[in-house]
Amino acid sequence: GAVVSQHPSWVICKSGTSVKIECRSLDFQATTMFWYRQFPKQSLMLMATSNEGSKATYEQGVEKDKFLINHASLTLSTLTVTSAHPEDSSFYICSANKGQENSPLHFGNGTRLTVT
Amino acid sequence: GQNIDQPTEMTATEGAIVQINCTYQTSGFNGLFWYQQHAGEAPTFLSYNVLDGLEEKGRFSSFLSRSKGYSYLLLKELQMKDSASYLCAPLDSNYQLIWGAGTKLIIKP
């Protein structure tokens, strides 16, 4: 069964609004979660590493003020896309691994965001 | 730099066997994952290799040669539901996964 739950699965919003995506680890505690973005027919791109109790680490080129990450508990990380624009339309996926750093990443089901 | 090289697309017949090759260059190495991703869905874990050799798991097997920077995923008794993209993802020295664009596998009846 799923070990990482992501919500919502899809969302359509208007330009200028903000959208919050939740990622939960269901049966384990995740001090670290990862947020990815994937455009059609392209590879997964790591946006940021979410750290419980501290600030997220953003990859180069990702605007931290636009993509707000909060990792308030050991089982929940949220990504908020602020002032969304059509170019933010994409497939956003969170992931976490249990325990050791070389344990497999388990992915949420992803959120398809469409900004009109 | 870090680089993944996989064929962009492959076609195979239902019931047959297909091998998807992957060569990689990373800063350090802590193992390699294979993931399956159906269109419009998130990736799902298939296998992890950290030592040289073949790991068999049902219809799927994965092979690793660290000295050659090479891995392959072998799929046997292909089924239509195996049509998906297959992502080779090595772990670098910082335990960061390096993602390529994957191989789109098309299964024909």
Side-chain angles (χ1 to χ4, degrees):
Chain A
V3 296
V4 176
S5 172
Q6 188 173 341
H7 178 81
S9 298
W10 58 270
V11 59
I12 301 173
C13 70
K14 291 186 177 179
S15 235
T17 60
S18 295
V19 173
K20 180 186 282 188
I21 303 170
E22 292 187 350
C23 181
R24 295 180 184 273
S25 55
L26 298 182
D27 60 353
F28 65 101
Q29 294 182 331
T31 53
T32 304
M33 291 185 176
F34 303 92
W35 287 97
Y36 289 88
R37 179 168 53 183
Q38 187 176 35
F39 293 105
K41 299 185 180 180
Q42 294 188 21
S43 61
L44 288 165
M45 290 178 54
L46 180 65
M47 298 176 66
T49 302
S50 173
N51 305 298
E52 188 270 335
S54 65
K55 292 182 179 179
T57 305
Y58 290 82
E59 295 300 303
Q60 193 172 7
V62 178
E63 299 173 57
K64 61 180 181 181
D65 294 330
K66 180 169 182 63
F67 299 100
L68 301 178
I69 291 174
N70 185 289
H71 196 147
S73 77
L74 286 170
T75 59
L76 173 65
S77 175
T78 61
L79 169 68
T80 302
V81 183
T82 62
S83 186
H85 289 99
E87 56 265 33
D88 298 324
S89 298
S90 186
F91 191 45
Y92 292 86
I93 316 172
C94 73
S95 68
N97 54 8
K98 300 181 182 183
Q100 298 176 340
E101 291 170 305
N102 60 351
S103 58
L105 277 181
H106 296 279
F107 289 86
N109 288 332
T111 298
R112 187 158 302 284
L113 171 64
T114 302
V115 184
T116 61
Chain B
Q2 313 212 86
N3 186 58
I4 311 293
D5 192 19
Q6 293 179 245
T8 304
E9 187 174 296
M10 298 180 71
T11 302
T13 305
E14 191 176 14
I17 299 173
V18 71
Q19 178 173 312
I20 302 174
N21 295 323
C22 169
T23 56
Y24 61 89
Q25 290 179 310
T26 55
S27 302
F29 182 75
N30 281 299
L32 184 144
F33 291 92
W34 282 94
Y35 282 85
Q36 180 191 61
Q37 186 176 23
H38 285 99
E41 298 181 11
T44 55
F45 167 72
L46 289 179
S47 68
Y48 172 67
N49 294 65
V50 66
L51 300 176
D52 289 350
L54 187 67
E55 295 273 347
E56 297 186 71
K57 190 186 292 185
R59 292 190 300 116
F60 293 3
S61 302
S62 56
F63 172 85
L64 175 67
S65 169
R66 290 171 295 173
S67 62
K68 296 181 179 178
Y70 168 68
S71 176
Y72 68 72
L73 182 69
L74 189 72
L75 293 79
K76 302 177 184 176
E77 301 170 18
L78 286 169
Q79 302 175 8
M80 297 304 292
K81 67 178 182 180
D82 297 331
S83 291
S85 287
Y86 290 86
L87 311 175
C88 161
L91 268 174
D92 70 8
S93 57
N94 295 319
Y95 290 94
Q96 295 286 333
L97 274 173
I98 310 302
W99 297 95
T103 298
K104 182 178 180 181
L105 177 63
I106 299 168
I107 310 297
K108 295 186 175 180

